[in-house]
Amino acid sequence: MIAPSILSADFARLADEARAVDGADWLHVDVMDGHFVPNLTLGLPVVKSLLDSTDIPVDCHLMIDDPDRWAIGYAEAGAHNVTVHVEAALEPVKLAANLRAAGAKAGLSVKPNTPLEPYLDLLRHYDTLLVMSVEPGFGGQSFIPEVLEKVRTARRLVDSGELRVLVEIDGGINAETIEQAAEAGVDMFVAGSAIYAADDPARAMEALRASAVRAAGKGGDKER
C-alpha cells in the first residue's frame, strides 16, 4: 500500500495535489511543531481543510511535543490514522485508547536510532507501527537501510500472531529503496518526492506499488 506524503506537494494547491494521487491507499500528512523536530509545517486547521477536500484516508504523523494533549484533535477531525512518537508520548497506552475512542487508528513511530525491543509490549495497544527510515523533520533525505532490522522484527511478530499492527515506513522511499523495504516486510510505504516530483504523480505512485508487490513476492513465506 502507498501513502503519498504531501510534505513534498505544493502547499498552495493541497486539494489539487490530493486529487493528483487518486487511488492512493492513504494520504500522509506530516505535522511538525518546530520543537520535537527542527521544522514547522502545518497543523490541525490545514488538516481539517484537507479532510474536507479528499476521500483518501488521511494518515497524520505527529512530530510534535506533548502529543498526549494535541493528538486527539486530529482523530476527532476525521483522520483515519494518527501516529505519535514513542519518544514524545508521556502516557502512550492511554493515548492509544483515546485515539481509538475518537474514531482513528492509533499509530506509534520510532526514530531511526530508537530501538524497537523496549516497546514491543506497548505495540499491542496500537494499530500501526511507523518505522522512520530518515531522521524526522525534513523531506528529501537518504534512506537509512539499518532500520530494516526493526521492520523484520515487527514482521516476524505480526506473522506469528504476537502483534497485530500494520508496518509502515517513512523516509527516502523511491524506486530503489521500496524494494528493500518490501522484502523486509513493510505493508505501507510513505513516499514524497518520488511521487510529487514526477510529471505524473499517479503513474509514479503505481510504479512504486508495482515494485513493492514484485519485491514482496520474493519473500516467499511472507503473507500480507
Side-chain angles (χ1 to χ4, degrees):
M1 296 183 284
I2 307 292
S5 173
I6 66 164
L7 184 63
S8 298
D10 182 348
F11 275 24
R13 303 173 51 252
L14 286 183
D16 292 337
E17 296 285 61
R19 284 191 287 271
V21 292
D22 188 39
D25 297 285
W26 289 358
L27 191 63
H28 191 81
V29 180
D30 286 314
V31 176
M32 307 181 195
D33 64 359
H35 298 282
F36 181 72
V37 293
N39 194 10
L40 186 65
T41 53
L42 48 79
L44 185 55
V46 175
V47 170
K48 286 180 176 178
S49 294
L50 185 61
L51 285 163
D52 289 338
S53 303
T54 183
D55 293 328
I56 303 172
V58 171
D59 175 29
C60 288
H61 177 196
L62 306 186
M63 288 172 268
I64 63 173
D65 283 341
D66 200 8
D68 303 73
R69 176 182 180 185
W70 300 110
I72 305 305
Y74 292 86
E76 292 174 341
H80 179 72
N81 185 72
V82 179
T83 294
V84 300
H85 269 265
V86 71
E87 303 89 353
L90 299 178
E91 297 184 81
V93 173
K94 180 179 178 182
L95 181 52
N98 288 340
L99 287 170
R100 287 170 160 178
K105 292 183 180 297
L108 192 69
S109 184
V110 290
K111 292 181 179 181
N113 291 325
T114 299
L116 184 61
E117 284 74 12
Y119 306 108
L120 292 177
D121 285 340
L122 180 58
L123 279 170
R124 302 181 195 284
H125 301 273
Y126 281 81
D127 303 294
T128 307
L129 166 65
L130 176 57
V131 175
M132 291 301 299
S133 43
V134 299
E135 286 298 330
F138 295 91
Q141 298 183 66
S142 297
F143 184 81
I144 301 172
E146 289 78 9
V147 305
L148 292 180
E149 192 53 42
K150 285 186 271 193
V151 171
R152 295 184 187 99
T153 297
R155 183 81 260 151
R156 285 194 298 269
L157 292 172
V158 171
D159 289 347
S160 69
E162 295 177 60
L163 282 180
R164 297 181 64 185
V165 293
L166 180 148
V167 182
E168 185 176 10
I169 197 163
D170 181 8
I173 295 297
N174 54 38
E176 221 174 86
T177 59
I178 198 169
E179 294 190 2
Q180 300 173 48
E183 288 174 4
V186 170
D187 299 304
M188 178 72 73
F189 305 84
V190 177
S193 56
I195 291 175
Y196 279 114
D199 292 335
D200 186 335
R203 180 175 293 182
M205 177 180 68
E206 293 307 326
L208 287 174
R209 190 193 306 278
S211 294
V213 169
R214 285 194 301 269
K218 296 175 185 175
D221 61 348
K222 290 196 290 289
E223 295 181 1
R224 298 296 185 264

